[in-house]
Amino acid sequence: MMKAVIMASVLALTCGGIAQAATCTATFVEANGNGNVNKNGNGNKNGNGSTKTVSYLLEQGSGNVTAACHSNNDTNTIDAAFSINGISGWELADKTDDGDSYLDGGFSQFGQGTWSVLNPLGYESIMVTLKQGKTFAAFLLDSTAPLTGIWNTFGPGEGSGGLSHASVYFAGEPQPAPVPLPAGAALLPAGLAALAFLRRRRKAA
């Protein structure tokens, strides 16, 4: 496993008490033209591996987002035991660099700097990950706020730079929205009460 120096400086920027964004920064060692990096992330005997830094940002409007940076690939790292803010049991729902459907829901839109997520089954916890270079950032979303916002990354990617992929994970029990009653159902209790009243009047007569 590649050794990465993680600066888990989770930052919530606020303005007027409303959460604006969550950020975190990760560094990793990458081989350059003069050196190699072994599986432990160290440079060769000449110490010529270069250090790269990636910063991540995700905003969810008025929602409070928690961020944490990690080394390696989220797809290989996140399993049921992976925890953020004490929440585990994560299942992959969607991934931008493949066409597979893992769970109901996922990204309804992911583009240049913007994102939105669908959660039709009402999972209790939602996490978005961004992967760039040999690191990724995990963002625990606010499930009570609209699932839409902006994202950005700063730093080198896989060779030429840029985001590798983004993913959505769900955890907890689904909480489907209640099925609405037919329009006439709300009048049923009143109708039953009226019938009971008429029966009492007939008996009294």
Side-chain angles (χ1 to χ4, degrees):
M1 180 183 294
M2 173 164 288
K3 180 180 179 182
V5 181
I6 302 297
M7 294 179 289
S9 54
V10 178
L11 175 63
L13 304 177
T14 60
C15 178
I18 298 176
Q20 294 295 304
T23 68
C24 67
T25 300
T27 62
F28 62 96
V29 179
E30 185 176 63
N32 55 28
N34 299 317
N36 299 313
V37 176
N38 61 27
K39 291 183 178 179
N40 293 321
N42 302 313
N44 63 9
K45 293 182 179 179
N46 296 322
N48 292 322
S50 60
T51 300
K52 306 291 184 181
T53 300
V54 182
S55 296
Y56 297 89
L57 176 149
L58 186 137
E59 175 267 341
Q60 192 191 350
S62 61
N64 294 310
V65 181
T66 300
C69 276
H70 301 269
S71 60
N72 301 310
N73 190 323
D74 62 306
T75 307
N76 300 328
T77 302
I78 297 176
D79 54 19
F82 180 87
S83 176
I84 179 171
N85 207 31
I87 300 173
S88 57
W90 295 101
E91 293 186 76
L92 179 62
D94 197 7
K95 195 164 175 270
T96 58
D97 63 352
D98 67 32
D100 294 336
S101 178
Y102 300 92
L103 295 173
D104 287 337
F107 286 117
S108 60
Q109 182 271 332
F110 190 88
Q112 188 61 41
T114 61
W115 64 272
S116 57
V117 166
L118 291 175
N119 181 22
L121 297 185
Y123 282 93
E124 297 173 321
S125 301
I126 309 162
M127 178 173 65
V128 167
T129 62
L130 304 176
K131 182 191 180 296
Q132 183 165 331
K134 297 176 175 64
T135 67
F136 71 91
F139 296 93
L140 179 63
L141 303 184
D142 184 344
S143 60
T144 65
L147 300 174
T148 185
I150 63 172
W151 66 271
N152 210 339
T153 63
F154 312 89
E158 297 288 358
S160 61
L163 189 74
S164 169
H165 64 260
S167 303
V168 179
Y169 295 81
F170 292 141
E173 294 297 323
Q175 304 290 331
V179 177
L181 294 173
L187 302 176
L188 183 60
L192 294 174
L195 287 174
F197 176 73
L198 290 174
R199 286 175 182 168
R200 286 196 298 269
R201 288 191 62 182
R202 288 174 183 171
K203 288 181 179 179

